[in-house]
Amino acid sequence: MPAPRTPAAGRDAADRDPTEQDPTGQDPTGPDPTGQDAVPGQGQEPGGERAAVLRASAAGLIAAFVGFSSSFAVVLEGLTKVGASHTEAASGLMALCVAMGVCAIVLSLRSRLPISIAWSTPGAALLAGSTGTHGGFPAAVGAFLLTGVLVVLSGLWKPLGRWVSAIPTPLANAMLAGILLPLCLAPAHAVKSDPAVGLGVVLTWAVVGSVRKLYAVPAAVVAAVVLIATTTHIDTGTLGPMWPHPVLVAPHFTVAAAVGIALPLYVVTMASQNIPGIAVLNVNGYRPDPGPLFGWTGVFSLLSAPFGGHAVNLAAITAALCAGEEAGPDPRKRYRAAAVAGGAYILLGLGAAAAVAFVNASPPNVIEAVAGLALLGALGNSLTGAMADAHHREPAVVTLVVTVSGVTFFGVSGAFWGLGAGGLLYALRYWQDTRRDRRADRGEQALPAQDVRRGRPWTCRSATRARAPAGR
């Protein structure tokens, strides 16, 4: 599988045909983040090369710390809910960190683009909201492998990626909101069950978030660690091993896990992580070919799955740190930040067992509260996207309600049935709208006062004009 292509050497942008596609997939008429159009001295760090390296390294370290601390609790809860033991959950967390790190380093250094990699936080939330699956963790690992295969196919076969993009946005967002909503209730439960610790964590998140939103969840994690250490007696004999041990899990493939875990995990990973990750790069002036990036993240997902990793993908939120001005003024050198973040993820993976040991010794409501706070932003964005279109709001609500209900049929989770129920209603509305438009084209007046799809009122005068012969 080819890596994202680097710019052709010795080719000046001024000599390029404006209609010619750049080898990197970038817009030849727009800003060139590779620096080929850079004016000498422009975009240079005032402190020189050393200052540029330090700034990129700082951005990469912050991106890795924020990415890990803000959602590792979600990952651990998700793996545990699908049957992983404490040792298997630690192995899965370590495998994800190593896969993310190596993938980010390889892609960034080969392409010279700030390609940031993360685990699938919405996917982990999907697992955390499940009720388990028949076959235990081996069946879940089989589903992880199937998800990796689908992501690879999305990179190799573009129609599959287009089909995912064709899922109606209101329904995809409603399904994700239904997955996240039960988890986001955890902070309220934590405040009720343990007011001192729960309020301390929530207030820390709120105060820090009002100053710098990016650091709100990491600050909440630090507050949780301090409050738990000072208010909870932790028996060091029950902490377990502090060094990670990779655990190879033999996969077991079942239809229920394929439909209930693999397909929803693939959809939320592509729709909520990979596609937004490409959008973040585009906003910052980078135009990589998405296919190879999707393919490589699928490959590393396949490599991490036998050790318990659910999915790795393009980063979205932390990608802005490595692709934006925080990583330096010179767009050509921001790839260093993504590479440093990759190295930091590998080091953080070595502490996976310690993280699991501390989480297991802590009050469960507090850890779940941190996970819920980390997902509040994603829940808000999903609800906004689901309810923005008034005409398709009802199918989105149906998708949300069925997903939140957690109903299972034939061992398949509610996320699949929610998307299916909302999809049926959406298809019915689409058929009605299409039929209405055809009647309008024939000049019939049996339409409601407002043509919702076209956004204009339907009047007898417009019907008269529709029937009038040409030239009248």
Side-chain angles (χ1 to χ4, degrees):
M1 183 179 300
R5 292 166 291 186
T6 55
R11 184 80 180 275
D12 194 283
D15 300 331
R16 195 183 300 141
D17 185 348
T19 62
E20 180 183 348
Q21 177 69 29
D22 183 67
T24 62
Q26 300 162 9
D27 181 6
T29 62
D32 184 6
T34 62
Q36 294 187 34
D37 296 336
V39 177
Q42 181 178 351
Q44 299 296 324
E45 186 74 27
E49 183 66 16
R50 182 179 180 181
V53 172
L54 290 177
R55 183 169 175 177
S57 299
L61 291 174
I62 292 173
F65 175 74
V66 170
F68 182 89
S69 62
S70 62
S71 54
F72 80 94
V74 184
V75 174
L76 293 179
E77 185 176 358
L79 294 177
T80 303
K81 282 293 184 67
V82 293
S85 65
H86 298 334
T87 305
E88 291 169 337
S91 174
L93 185 63
M94 180 192 66
L96 288 170
C97 289
V98 173
M100 290 156 49
V102 175
C103 185
I105 292 172
V106 170
L107 293 181
S108 297
L109 294 183
R110 292 192 65 180
S111 67
R112 293 297 191 268
L113 298 175
I115 309 299
S116 299
I117 305 298
W119 53 51
S120 176
T121 301
L126 168 70
L127 301 179
S130 68
T131 56
T133 183
H134 181 70
F137 195 54
V141 170
F144 300 162
L145 288 170
L146 180 57
T147 300
V149 170
L150 290 174
V151 175
V152 171
L153 290 177
S154 298
L156 296 177
W157 191 46
K158 293 184 178 179
L160 183 58
R162 287 196 293 267
W163 290 345
V164 176
S165 301
I167 294 176
T169 301
L171 302 190
N173 280 295
M175 182 186 71
L176 181 58
I179 293 169
L180 299 177
L181 181 58
L183 302 174
C184 292
L185 300 177
H189 296 317
V191 171
K192 179 182 178 181
S193 62
D194 194 342
V197 177
L199 277 176
V201 172
V202 172
L203 289 177
T204 301
W205 170 82
V207 171
V208 175
S210 64
V211 178
R212 187 70 186 274
K213 188 174 182 180
L214 184 65
Y215 302 132
V217 176
V221 172
V222 174
V225 171
V226 173
L227 290 172
I228 291 172
T230 55
T231 62
T232 305
H233 173 69
I234 299 178
D235 185 3
T236 56
T238 62
L239 288 178
M242 304 298 287
W243 191 256
H245 298 282
V247 177
L248 186 63
V249 179
H252 177 58
F253 297 95
T254 65
V255 175
V259 177
I261 295 180
L263 291 181
L265 178 59
Y266 166 70
V267 170
V268 299
T269 298
M270 291 294 296
S272 302
Q273 291 279 175
N274 277 337
I275 295 176
I278 293 294
V280 170
L281 290 173
N282 292 343
V283 166
N284 286 277
Y286 301 93
R287 298 290 188 273
D289 183 6
L293 298 182
F294 294 164
W296 279 110
T297 58
V299 168
F300 280 93
S301 294
L302 288 172
L303 293 176
S304 67
F307 299 96
H310 64 291
V312 299
N313 42 245
L314 297 178
I317 297 176
T318 55
L321 288 172
C322 297
E325 290 288 340
E326 292 86 352
D330 189 350
R332 296 172 299 177
K333 299 178 180 179
R334 292 176 188 167
Y335 71 91
R336 297 170 175 173
V340 170
Y345 275 127
I346 295 175
L347 295 178
L348 289 170
L350 299 179
V356 173
F358 183 80
V359 168
N360 292 334
S362 304
N365 285 340
V366 177
I367 301 302
E368 292 174 0
V370 174
L373 292 174
L375 296 172
L376 282 177
L379 175 63
N381 293 334
S382 299
L383 288 173
T384 301
M387 306 303 165
D389 187 352
H391 186 53
H392 296 130
R393 189 169 294 162
E394 195 169 53
V397 170
V398 170
T399 302
L400 172 66
V401 170
V402 176
T403 303
V404 171
S405 70
V407 295
T408 59
F409 297 101
F410 311 108
V412 179
S413 67
F416 174 82
W417 299 115
L419 189 61
L424 287 176
L425 185 56
Y426 187 96
L428 178 61
R429 293 290 174 83
Y430 181 82
W431 175 77
Q432 290 174 338
D433 292 339
T434 302
R435 188 165 174 262
R436 184 182 301 125
D437 285 350
R438 289 175 179 173
R439 294 170 65 184
D441 291 339
R442 293 196 302 265
E444 299 180 13
Q445 300 183 40
L447 287 173
Q450 179 75 23
D451 186 350
V452 181
R453 291 189 69 201
R454 299 189 178 186
R456 62 175 184 267
W458 178 263
T459 63
C460 295
R461 182 176 299 176
S462 61
T464 303
R465 285 199 302 266
R467 291 195 301 267
R472 248 186 99 175

